[in-house]
Amino acid sequence: MDLAGKVILITGASSGFGAAAALAFARTRCHLLLGARRVTRLNEVATAAREAGAASVGIHVLDVASTRSVDAYAAWARDQHPSVDVLVNNAGGAHGLDPVALGKDEDWEAMVQSNFLGLLRMTRATLPMLPQHAGAWVLNIGSIAGHSAYEGGAAYCGVKAGERLVTQALRLELNGTGIRVGTLDPGMAESEFSLVRFKGDAARAAKIYEGARPLTPADVADAMVWMVSRPPHVCVDELILKPTDQAAFHKVYRRK
Ligand code: NDP
Ligand code: 8X3
């Protein structure tokens, strides 16, 4: 499906997968609506996306953890374009790697708010703008963490497992509307993810990728564009994308 002229709304577009997705979709000459909390970073992404060929780029502050912010964002988006063809629910991330016995309320709450409630809020606010029977998409970004648990990942794995089930419920609810719904579930990818998880500890974040060859945000963005550009009668319900070096969360091949 040709994406030129389509309207793509991406949450969490200030870094990592969201920023790479903005560039990848820009190359298809679509219109972009970008949101995140760091507006300065959004501005930089918008400049790069215009240079990459986007038909237009709009940015607006967005905190998916706040219903008020999500509703203000949706009202702004409606002013830019009456309809949105693709919603990419990407905003989120992990906070901490503590076992449950040492877990912190603020970390758990931040993960539930952004990855889980934020996705529900954004979807509720955007659904009235999605055209029916024209190949529209709700593309949610999950994780291999939603498929199997690991120590220290109880809350993060829990919210990403929740994301899969929200995706499945929405797929059932929207069947017959022509609106496609699916989840893209990456494994280890080098972005600001680990820096955020480890609260700015760059050395600890770098260790996660040491000796391995992780996915890049551009790899994940390529998969997003592929999913969204299938013909309207084709829906990729679930796609797991992992580095060749990562057979499972714990099984990572590392070069010396
Ligand atoms: P980054 O930390 O690089 O990007 C996260 C993005 O989410 C940022 O743009 C951030 O923007 C935004 N964000 C976080 N919280 C909020 C919020 N409350 N409101 C609005 N925006 C928010 O990480 P990734 O690009 O790697 O992560 C993107 C998604 O992919 C996340 O959902 C993550 O869980 C998932 N994922 C990541 C993997 C990895 O290994 N990197 C693997 C599998 C899935 P800002 O801070 O400006 O608001
Ligand atoms: C991020 C990937 O496996 O580190 O979702 O949790 S993982």
Side-chain angles (χ1 to χ4, degrees):
M1 187 172 117
D2 185 7
L3 298 181
K6 301 282 183 196
V7 179
I8 320 279
L9 190 166
I10 304 169
T11 72
S14 59
S15 69
F17 301 171
L23 295 190
F25 281 111
R27 287 185 209 108
T28 71
R29 308 207 170 272
C30 60
H31 299 278
L32 291 171
L33 298 173
L34 309 178
R37 293 166 300 180
R38 290 172 294 173
V39 174
T40 310
R41 292 282 295 270
L42 277 183
N43 253 315
E44 292 164 10
V45 174
T47 302
R50 284 185 196 104
E51 284 166 6
S56 71
V57 186
I59 63 163
H60 193 278
V61 67
L62 169 66
D63 182 356
V64 298
S66 151
T67 298
R68 187 187 294 253
S69 175
V70 167
D71 290 345
Y73 186 90
W76 166 81
R78 205 173 295 111
D79 278 351
Q80 310 300 304
H81 297 280
S83 70
V84 167
D85 298 289
V86 178
L87 166 64
V88 181
N89 276 313
N90 165 72
H95 299 274
L97 190 62
D98 296 320
V100 173
L102 299 174
K104 299 178 183 60
D105 280 2
E106 62 267 28
D107 286 343
W108 293 345
E109 282 163 12
M111 286 186 272
V112 172
Q113 281 294 345
S114 59
N115 297 280
F116 187 73
L117 294 176
L119 180 147
L120 284 167
R121 287 186 187 104
M122 275 308 297
T123 306
R124 179 179 62 192
T126 310
L127 272 177
M129 290 184 261
L130 290 178
Q132 301 204 353
H133 307 295
W137 255 102
V138 179
L139 172 53
N140 296 328
I141 305 306
S143 169
I144 59 165
H147 292 259
S148 52
Y150 53 84
E151 301 95 322
Y156 183 67
C157 295
V159 292
K160 289 303 192 189
E163 174 275 339
R164 278 180 77 203
L165 293 181
V166 167
T167 303
Q168 290 172 14
L170 196 62
R171 175 85 167 97
L172 293 167
E173 289 172 12
L174 295 181
N175 194 39
T177 65
I179 299 172
R180 297 177 280 178
V181 183
T183 180
L184 170 57
D185 299 348
M188 181 172 64
E190 194 162 6
S191 62
E192 294 178 18
F193 176 85
S194 294
L195 202 59
V196 172
R197 167 168 256 176
F198 299 129
K199 303 175 197 303
D201 183 340
R204 193 172 173 201
K207 273 239 165 259
I208 297 290
Y209 312 109
E210 206 169 71
R213 185 167 180 201
L215 298 173
T216 65
D219 295 328
V220 178
D222 272 356
M224 290 187 208
V225 173
W226 180 79
M227 288 172 80
V228 166
S229 59
R230 292 313 82 214
H233 69 286
V234 177
C235 180
V236 184
D237 283 23
E238 188 168 296
L239 180 66
I240 298 176
L241 191 75
K242 291 193 299 184
T244 307
D245 283 348
Q246 186 179 38
F249 174 81
H250 287 100
K251 181 90 179 164
V252 178
Y253 176 71
R254 296 183 193 276
R255 288 155 194 80
K256 298 286 171 245

